[in-house]
Amino acid sequence: MNDQIGSSELLGIGSQLLDEAKELRLQVGGSSMFPYLRNGDIAHIVKCPLEELRPGHVVVYNGGHRWIAHRLMRISKNKDHWTLVTHGDSCLRPDLAFTEENYAGRIISVERKGASWRIDGKGHHRFGKIVLCARAVIHPLFHGLAMPQRIVTKLKTMTGRNPH
């Protein structure tokens, strides 16, 4: 007998709860939304209608075997079919487009180190839009600044010298 619950079952349970207008509190993992969301933050997720989503919101979607929380870049409706495109704040490339079937919900608030704040207000929405607009300038700049360090680290590794 197998008493373990797999990731697909957990995603199904989470989706069902969100569809029933419940709010989920889930711990964030990874650094793709750093510094806005950090590894270990607790995200409060609700399912809101797709019509209410706007670029800049942080949405959660089923990325296969896990949920992914990234900033919404574009949302469009063609007949009765919705398409969403997201992008992690610290990622170089946008995610592949996904449809409404993979949409799980939107993050409305975050908890970190005992503090809690909402991210569904107009100010956070504006901030999200600024992040999207600034991405074209900021990411190539940071990527370019990080490149020399990566080259030095790679050369030290190749020559057997400790890169740290």
Side-chain angles (χ1 to χ4, degrees), residues 22-94:
K22 305 283 194 244
E23 179 179 315
L24 291 183
R25 292 176 67 242
L26 296 176
Q27 187 171 26
V28 174
S31 60
S32 64
M33 284 296 292
F34 185 85
Y36 199 70
L37 296 176
R38 299 180 187 169
N39 193 36
D41 286 353
I42 304 296
H44 294 242
I45 307 163
V46 298
K47 183 106 175 206
C48 68
L50 292 163
E51 294 86 359
E52 293 179 12
L53 294 178
R54 299 288 178 265
H57 286 150
V58 179
V59 298
V60 178
Y61 69 95
N62 185 340
H65 301 290
R66 63 191 173 109
W67 277 352
I68 298 172
H70 280 173
R71 194 170 304 281
L72 182 63
M73 291 180 63
R74 288 187 303 277
I75 183 167
S76 59
K77 185 177 183 182
N78 186 1
K79 297 183 183 176
D80 291 331
H81 180 74
W82 288 91
T83 302
L84 299 90
V85 177
T86 59
H87 198 295
D89 285 356
S90 63
C91 297
L92 294 176
R93 292 178 188 83

Side-chain angles (χ1 to χ4, degrees), residues 98-149:
F98 60 94
T99 61
E100 66 267 21
E101 289 84 17
N102 288 37
Y103 166 70
R106 184 177 93 184
I107 297 179
I108 59 166
S109 65
V110 176
E111 296 175 34
R112 180 184 304 147
K113 297 181 181 177
S116 178
W117 60 94
R118 296 199 63 92
I119 66 167
D120 60 344
K122 288 184 181 182
H124 284 276
H125 181 238
R126 276 191 219 112
F127 174 79
K129 289 175 76 171
I130 291 169
V131 168
L132 292 174
C133 292
R135 182 180 318 284
V137 174
I138 293 172
H139 278 280
L141 175 65
F142 283 120
H143 187 66
L145 292 174
M147 190 59 71
Q149 180 60 41

Side-chain angles (χ1 to χ4, degrees), residues 1-21:
M1 184 169 134
N2 186 355
D3 291 338
Q4 294 182 346
I5 297 176
S7 60
S8 61
E9 289 90 0
L10 287 174
L11 294 178
I13 292 167
S15 293
Q16 183 178 356
L17 290 170
L18 288 170
D19 287 342
E20 294 172 2

